[in-house]
């Protein structure tokens, strides 16, 4: 007899494992099918956690490289990065966290079925590789995530031309690294390997780095990268790349139409990710798809009853769906609550924080200045530079600013965009401000502790009302 569950989740990434835990907390009998040998999916194994661990190493190295400034005497000569220790520490962090999810599964009595799942008809999931079996499920949640996507004409050989999955495991610091794409993944690896000593060039098709961010943020990042020695080729299209014994030869067409040749030890293709649905049997079950993604409504129902989908694998509501760990987890909670008969409400995707952990960090939420104008708002903005703050000077992190975008008529905060120290943490205040439909006046009246980086938010609010105190 097949094992029978209230909910079978396919995929134990940040979407699937959170959905499973919440469903179990709400009284459901839950199994999760996961084909990897550890839980946590992209975020824990190749994504958020290992990259941010490497970025912490890069930050530590930055302090050591400036040891004179910090008054730290290094008796053994010039500091160097030890990649063996870097990877050992990163792997310990990853293992600790994936084991943590195993513990949570046990605590919540969730069965982890180790293998690859396929949809085998209404209410049936077949595990076709690994622990082969058939599972009966009153509800199925697809959370199979995404994988790196290439660029036409550029073959990924996983050695010289690599994706983030390989970049995270590079055992040696490449002498030279070319990165295709300046989204979060591209600029984070640029920050890591530049700090570790690589000669880094970024090729971005669009006219500016981190193109989804506010234009002022893009300009500040490009300035900061230039200072660090990272070359940014914006408005440039990589047309060809061929791996040679010694490295990679790349051809790229600049904004003037001229082709230039670049060579590098490694080419990292960081141009986005596509859905993982191969072999899943979604189409055969009649699930409506959109460019390979699983189409869902705002409560994550697919076109087939009792089958839901969440996370990187979905297309929702005709709009770009953010492929972020915290988004997939939030969707996991909504879907679990709906399946448990709770009052589940659609998420507001306008209030999703976007964090990029490059150096300097970027945190943003809501409308950019350009988007607000495009939507017809009469916009007012206020900016405040971190460099003025005592706390930023103490940390030696004086680049960047906080920018508030507000509606002039009602004073409502429409977006907050920051680049600079701790921006990925500071953005939390901005997310709450948007969720509570806060006015700039309320931010002005909010007391920010001194000396902190968060003072930049209060000061940017003052600036939006005409005058910052410390400028
Ligand atoms: C380098 C990098 C850095 C990132 N950094 C951040 C960050 O800092 N912050 C952030 O919010 N997001 C970040 N992301 C994005 C984030 O990792 C993803 O948005 C998130 O992991 C999506 O979660 P998911 O559950 O939808 O899918 P995934 O995490 O991809 O999980 C899907 C799981 O399903 C399993 N699976 C697939 N098919 C099957 C099958 N048929 N049977 C069984 N199992 C299956 C896979 O093995 C996988 O474990 C980063 C991504 C990358 C690549």
């Amino acid at each position: 007899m097949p094992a029978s569950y209230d909910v079978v989740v396919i995929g134990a990434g940040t979407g699937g494992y959170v959905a499973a835990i919440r469903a179990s907390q709400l009284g459901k009998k839950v199994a999760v099918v996961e084909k990897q040998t550890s839980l946590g999916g992209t975020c824990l194994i190749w994504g958020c956690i290992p990259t941010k661990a490497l970025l912490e190493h890069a930050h530590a190295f930055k302090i050591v490289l400036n040891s004179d400034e910090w008054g730290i005497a290094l008796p053994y000569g010039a500091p160097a990065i030890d990649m063996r220790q870097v990877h050992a520490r990163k792997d310990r962090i990853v293992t600790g966290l994936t084991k943590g999810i195993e513990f949570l599964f046990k605590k919540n009595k969730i069965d982890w079925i180790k293998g690859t799942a396929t949809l085998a008809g209404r209410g049936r999931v077949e595990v076709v590789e690994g622990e082969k079996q058939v599972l009966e499920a009153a509800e199925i949640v697809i959370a199979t995530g995404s994988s790196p996507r290439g660029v036409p004409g550029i073959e990924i050989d996983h050695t010289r031309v690599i994706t983030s999955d390989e970049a995270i495991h590079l055992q040696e610091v490449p002498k030279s690294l070319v990165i295709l794409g300046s989204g979060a993944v591209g600029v984070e690896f640029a920050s890591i390997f530049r700090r570790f000593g690589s000669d880094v060039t970024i090729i971005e098709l669009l006219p500016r780095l981190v193109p989804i961010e506010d234009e002022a943020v893009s300009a500040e990042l490009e300035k900061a990268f230039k200072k660090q020695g990272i070359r940014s080729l914006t408005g440039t299209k990589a047309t060809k790349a061929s791996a040679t014994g010694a490295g990679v030869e790349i051809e790229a067409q600049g904004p003037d139409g001229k082709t230039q040749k670049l060579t590098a030890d490694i080419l990292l293709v960081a141009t986005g990710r596509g859905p993982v649905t191969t072999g899943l049997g979604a189409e055969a079950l009649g699930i409506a798809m959109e460019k390979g993604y699983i189409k869902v409504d705002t409560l994550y129902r697919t076109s087939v009853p009792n089958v839901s989908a969440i996370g990187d694998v979905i297309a929702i509501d005709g709009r770009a769906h953010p492929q972020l760990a915290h988004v997939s987890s939030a969707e996991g909670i909504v879907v679990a609550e709906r399946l448990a008969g709770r009052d589940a409400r659609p998420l507001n995707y306008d209030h999703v924080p976007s964090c990029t952990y490059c150096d300097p960090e970027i945190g943003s939420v809501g409308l950019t200045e350009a988007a607000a104008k495009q939507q017809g708002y009469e916009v007012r903005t206020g900016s405040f530079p971190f460099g003025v703050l005592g706390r930023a000077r103490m940390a030696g992190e004086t680049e960047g600013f906080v920018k508030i975008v507000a509606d002039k008529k009602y004073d409502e905060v429409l977006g907050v965009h920051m680049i600079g120290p701790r921006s990925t943490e500071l953005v939390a205040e901005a997310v709450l401000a948007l969720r509570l439909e806060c006015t700039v006046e309320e931010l002005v009246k909010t007391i920010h502790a001194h000396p902190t980086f968060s003072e930049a938010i209060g000061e940017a609010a003052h600036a939006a009302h005409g005058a910052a105190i410390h400028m």
Side-chain angles (χ1 to χ4, degrees):
M1 268 244 311
S4 178
Y5 293 91
D6 297 326
V7 182
V8 169
V9 181
I10 305 177
T14 40
Y17 89 73
V18 169
I21 292 173
R22 189 72 189 123
S24 170
Q25 286 172 341
L26 295 172
K28 297 289 178 187
K29 185 182 174 197
V30 183
V32 177
V33 188
E34 170 54 58
K35 63 184 178 183
Q36 295 296 329
T37 51
S38 50
L39 301 171
T42 303
C43 171
L44 272 82
I45 304 172
W46 306 278
C48 327
I49 301 300
T51 48
K52 268 85 255 181
L54 292 189
L55 278 153
E56 291 294 349
H57 282 271
H59 184 72
F61 195 42
K62 177 171 152 181
I63 302 275
V64 177
L65 286 172
N66 292 301
S67 58
D68 286 352
E69 161 89 13
W70 289 93
I72 301 168
L74 299 174
Y76 304 112
I81 198 88
D82 172 358
M83 287 304 276
R84 241 179 26 159
Q85 168 60 11
V86 167
H87 284 297
R89 182 172 178 276
K90 171 200 71 158
D91 293 344
R92 265 200 314 277
I93 294 162
V94 169
T95 305
L97 292 172
T98 58
K99 291 279 175 211
I101 303 173
E102 279 185 49
F103 164 78
L104 290 173
F105 273 22
K106 283 189 187 126
K107 182 181 159 200
N108 288 285
K109 300 188 174 40
I110 296 165
D111 288 342
W112 171 14
I113 317 285
K114 296 175 179 139
T116 304
T118 190
L119 300 164
R122 294 279 170 101
R124 283 169 79 85
V125 172
E126 198 177 334
V127 184
V128 288
E129 274 169 29
E131 296 173 3
K132 288 186 185 175
Q133 55 190 295
V134 175
L135 309 171
E136 275 179 2
E139 295 285 347
I140 297 168
V141 178
I142 301 168
T144 50
S146 63
S147 60
R149 199 170 43 191
V151 186
I154 295 183
E155 192 194 330
I156 292 166
D157 69 0
H158 305 284
T159 308
R160 291 287 179 191
V161 184
I162 64 173
T163 70
S164 59
D165 286 1
E166 290 83 39
I168 204 68
H169 297 300
L170 284 178
Q171 296 300 313
E172 281 176 26
V173 176
K175 266 211 178 77
S176 52
L177 175 67
V178 171
I179 300 175
L180 275 197
S182 74
V185 172
V187 297
E188 287 180 5
F189 277 108
S191 289
I192 293 166
F193 283 105
R194 179 63 194 141
R195 193 64 70 194
F196 286 178
S198 299
D199 178 8
V200 176
T201 302
I202 301 175
I203 299 178
E204 169 57 57
L205 184 64
L206 293 172
R208 57 191 176 93
L209 298 182
V210 285
I212 63 164
E213 298 293 344
D214 192 274
E215 280 184 35
V217 168
S218 296
E220 185 74 7
L221 183 65
E222 191 162 338
K223 195 171 84 187
F225 271 8
K226 193 171 177 191
K227 230 163 104 188
Q228 292 171 31
I230 296 173
R231 198 151 69 113
S232 303
L233 302 178
T234 52
T236 300
K237 184 180 182 178
T239 48
K240 222 165 133 185
S242 28
T244 64
V248 197
E249 287 172 0
I250 302 143
E251 284 185 15
Q253 196 177 40
D256 55 5
K258 287 193 184 134
T259 295
Q260 60 173 308
K261 291 189 177 178
L262 296 94
T263 54
D265 286 356
I266 299 281
L267 172 65
L268 165 59
V269 179
T271 46
R273 297 172 65 81
V276 174
T277 54
T278 311
L280 185 64
E283 287 99 333
L285 198 66
I287 294 176
M289 312 287 283
E290 190 180 309
K291 294 183 185 154
Y293 290 89
I294 294 178
K295 251 175 112 162
V296 292
D297 68 11
T298 54
L299 288 176
Y300 313 109
R301 289 175 281 236
T302 70
S303 59
V304 169
N306 309 110
V307 181
S308 307
I310 55 169
D312 281 9
V313 76
I314 64 170
I316 181 169
D317 213 14
R319 62 182 289 170
H321 175 256
Q323 291 185 320
L324 292 168
H326 44 282
V327 169
S328 67
S329 296
E331 291 167 350
I333 290 171
V334 170
V335 86
E337 296 191 342
R338 174 172 59 75
L339 297 182
R342 291 283 180 105
D343 179 22
R345 302 280 170 95
L347 295 173
N348 184 346
Y349 287 90
D350 293 336
H351 294 170
V352 171
S354 171
C355 292
T356 304
Y357 301 74
C358 49
D359 180 15
E361 293 189 348
I362 300 169
S364 64
V365 62
L367 298 178
T368 62
E369 184 177 348
K373 284 180 178 159
Q374 210 175 19
Q375 290 190 17
Y377 287 103
E378 198 185 340
V379 168
R380 82 164 146 213
T381 65
S383 295
F384 189 82
F386 281 107
V388 175
L389 297 178
R391 185 66 202 277
R393 292 182 187 197
M394 292 167 217
E397 306 269 349
T398 51
E399 287 173 313
F401 55 81
V402 172
K403 172 175 173 180
I404 293 178
V405 176
D407 172 24
K408 200 167 182 181
K409 191 167 172 199
Y410 297 110
D411 199 37
E412 186 178 348
V413 179
L414 301 173
V416 181
H417 308 275
M418 40 186 110
I419 175 165
R422 319 294 200 272
S423 288
T424 58
E425 300 289 340
L426 296 178
V427 74
E429 179 181 351
V431 177
L432 194 63
L434 261 72
R435 177 149 179 90
L436 299 179
E437 298 178 0
C438 195
T439 58
V440 175
E441 179 67 15
E442 281 161 324
L443 281 182
V444 165
K445 291 284 182 325
T446 302
I447 299 172
H448 291 86
H450 175 76
T452 63
F453 296 102
S454 72
E455 288 173 273
I457 297 176
E459 286 278 26
H462 275 287
H465 272 191
I469 302 297
H470 290 90
M471 265 205 345

